[in-house]
Amino acid sequence: MPTDIFETRESQVRSYCKNWPATFAKASGPYQWTEDGTRYLDFFSGAGALNYGHNHPELRDLIVDYVANDGVTHSMDMKTPAKRHFLETFERVILEPRKLDYKVMFPGPTGTNTVEAALKLARKVTGRQHILSFTNAFHGMTLGALSVTGNSMKRRGAGIPLTNSSKIPYDDYFDGDMPDFLWLEKILEDSGSGVDKPAAVIVETVQGEGGLNAARMDWLKSLASLLRRHKILLIVDDVQAGCGRTGKFFSFEEAGLYPDIVCVSKSISGYGLAMALTLFKPELDVWEGGEHNGTFRGNNLAFVTAARALELFWADDSFENQLAERITELHDGLEKIAEHVPGASIRGRGFLTGIHFPNPDTAGKTAAEAYKRNLLVETSGPQDEVLKLMPALNIESEDLQKGLAIVEESLLAATGNLGEPSRLRAPR
């Protein structure tokens, strides 16, 4: 099939298709098929937007039925039955069992939209401008989100100075040589520090793009406690780590946190449809009507699939328990694979995980070898030094083991060690 139009007409800004040049025509579950019928196992999952795989049949059928019956597709922020059902389901299935009381804002369809809304709200509530974020953070590509992002290449794309934010060390940034939050506590307690009190601190519990750095639960608890003492808002960016990717629906649940603001997107629709939420404590709901808006914040197809996905996967703990078993299986397999490379280590948490290599080139070479073997897997980190795995959360054990076997073979090929014996059990 011709592909010239992608080269001649589409912008050079594209990236994934340069590493994966196939033209994908169909997708189902954890697999995609090219135009010529070649099948690829997908451990990328739309960068975490497809937590339940491609085209889940029940969600697909809901969309077809909704469109066939002339359901409202676009509604700005007007009331629709689809929005009502989503809000009721989100309250009943997600918020109430976790004893979380959040207002729900639909800021626009993407992750960077929810981050922008969170930053704006924090500044409006506190009357303060400065935002603190962390080394190696990634929060989006619009100007506000870029200002709290650490990656220098992405920041350069802004073309202007990115101001009103500062970076502070993420967990274990100094390899344990410095006490947690030493600098932050000192400047907040010193009225002569010359550093303005920030409106908020924004954090990812697992830095998806920054190298799969996973914060310790005690570190997260200490951060939340420090911010409470100084009346600084805590924003958790759960765009990639949320919706079950780390094992719980919210990535901060294990730490017992109740953040002031939570950013949710990617897999919240359950189907890969564009949808984002900004969640915040009721006392922070100081918006005036229309003060923050967006044309596509009323995506009713996404409301329909999101509500059903919550009912299917999160109405009780059965899926969470199944996911815990798969997480153990994935991490056990990765530990065995990492043994092939001295100094390699496992990064991340849950199904947002991967292998960090001492030689930064190893991850990219392994990902390229995996593509040759019909597995889609990407890299992460400031030097792309981490092989990043994000399988669908509902993947079957057989497919998970198949993917791990390909990762192992790809690593051995990338390091010139194809003769080494496998450390994994053969896939069933």
Side-chain angles (χ1 to χ4, degrees):
M1 296 293 180
T3 59
D4 292 352
I5 191 66
F6 302 115
E7 305 300 326
T8 61
R9 188 57 57 190
E10 190 178 3
S11 167
Q12 289 298 322
V13 77
R14 63 195 188 277
S15 59
Y16 291 111
C17 62
K18 293 177 181 177
N19 293 325
W20 304 329
T23 303
F24 295 102
K26 288 183 62 178
S28 179
Y31 288 97
Q32 293 197 67
W33 287 263
T34 64
E35 285 183 309
D36 66 4
T38 303
R39 188 175 76 164
Y40 284 77
L41 181 55
D42 188 350
F43 273 23
F44 174 61
S45 298
L50 297 163
N51 278 3
Y52 315 113
H54 294 270
N55 291 314
H56 188 283
E58 187 164 341
L59 304 182
R60 178 199 61 211
D61 292 348
L62 277 176
I63 292 175
V64 172
D65 183 65
Y66 188 81
V67 172
N69 285 283
D70 293 328
V72 173
T73 299
H74 178 274
S75 61
M76 300 289 285
D77 66 1
M78 290 180 282
K79 300 171 185 175
T80 65
K83 184 199 277 190
R84 177 173 57 213
H85 182 52
F86 169 75
L87 287 169
E88 290 172 345
T89 305
F90 190 73
E91 178 180 73
R92 172 174 51 85
V93 174
I94 300 300
L95 296 181
E96 289 180 348
R98 292 162 180 79
K99 296 180 171 54
L100 296 173
D101 185 11
Y102 285 129
K103 298 296 282 291
V104 179
M105 176 182 177
F106 302 102
T110 72
T112 200
N113 292 137
T114 179
V115 170
E116 294 286 352
L119 301 181
K120 185 189 289 189
L121 180 61
R123 288 170 170 141
K124 179 177 174 63
V125 167
T126 64
R128 303 191 290 266
Q129 295 181 353
H130 215 70
I131 306 288
L132 296 181
S133 59
F134 289 93
T135 49
N136 291 310
F138 177 75
H139 296 289
M141 299 296 281
T142 49
L143 290 180
L146 272 180
S147 74
V148 291
T149 287
N151 185 284
S152 58
M153 182 274 285
K154 292 179 172 65
R155 288 173 64 85
R156 280 196 303 270
I160 61 171
L162 297 170
T163 58
N164 296 314
S165 72
S166 298
K167 308 296 169 290
I168 55 179
Y170 195 72
D171 189 15
D172 206 32
Y173 188 73
F174 293 110
D175 299 320
D177 291 338
M178 185 178 292
D180 296 334
F181 311 117
L182 176 65
W183 175 84
L184 182 57
E185 284 192 271
K186 200 78 173 170
I187 63 114
L188 291 176
E189 292 169 0
D190 181 5
S191 60
S193 68
V195 177
D196 294 333
K197 179 186 280 194
V201 172
I202 184 168
V203 65
E204 303 158 277
T205 67
V206 181
Q207 295 185 321
E209 302 302 316
L212 296 180
N213 306 304
R216 292 167 295 143
M217 297 303 114
D218 286 346
W219 185 88
L220 290 168
K221 291 176 184 177
S222 297
L223 173 63
S225 176
L226 174 62
L227 299 187
R228 270 197 311 273
R229 292 199 304 272
H230 291 278
K231 295 181 171 54
I232 298 167
L233 298 179
L234 172 62
I235 304 171
V236 171
D237 181 345
D238 235 16
V239 168
Q240 188 164 107
C243 298
R245 184 135 295 269
T246 61
K248 305 285 188 182
F249 185 83
F250 293 114
S251 72
F252 54 81
E253 288 184 50
E254 191 177 340
L257 300 188
Y258 182 14
D260 298 291
I261 305 174
V262 183
C263 300
V264 179
S265 185
K266 285 194 184 285
S267 270
I268 186 59
S269 80
Y271 200 77
L273 299 172
M275 181 179 177
L277 313 175
T278 308
L279 311 176
F280 41 84
K281 294 179 178 178
E283 62 267 25
L284 303 183
D285 194 9
V286 297
W287 294 114
E288 296 179 21
E291 189 174 10
H292 188 90
N293 58 38
T295 303
F296 294 99
R297 64 194 186 277
N299 185 347
N300 286 267
L301 293 181
F303 294 154
V304 168
T305 56
R308 187 59 185 145
L310 296 180
E311 292 169 338
L312 283 173
F313 296 102
W314 300 101
D316 57 38
D317 61 3
S318 56
F319 177 70
E320 189 175 309
N321 292 337
Q322 174 189 311
L323 177 57
E325 294 177 6
R326 291 287 180 274
I327 288 171
T328 298
E329 195 175 336
L330 173 61
H331 283 248
D332 286 349
L334 289 177
E335 290 283 0
K336 291 181 173 67
I337 293 169
E339 291 174 4
H340 289 292
V341 179
S345 59
I346 306 306
R347 290 279 181 89
R349 188 153 59 92
F351 262 37
L352 180 55
T353 189
I355 306 175
H356 173 272
F357 296 103
N359 182 344
D361 294 337
T362 303
K365 290 178 179 177
T366 303
E369 291 291 339
Y371 178 74
K372 294 177 186 176
R373 292 161 174 79
N374 295 14
L375 175 70
L376 303 180
V377 61
E378 68 166 339
T379 59
S380 174
Q383 296 179 286
D384 288 316
E385 71 276 16
V386 179
L387 187 71
K388 181 182 180 184
L389 281 71
M390 291 189 294
L393 306 187
N394 57 341
I395 192 170
E396 297 291 339
S397 178
E398 181 180 357
D399 291 321
L400 182 60
Q401 289 298 325
K402 178 181 178 181
L404 287 170
I406 295 173
V407 169
E408 182 179 43
E409 184 180 341
S410 301
L411 174 60
L412 294 175
T415 55
N417 296 312
L418 266 178
E420 281 193 34
S422 170
R423 285 167 164 77
L424 299 177
R425 63 180 175 85
R428 295 192 303 274

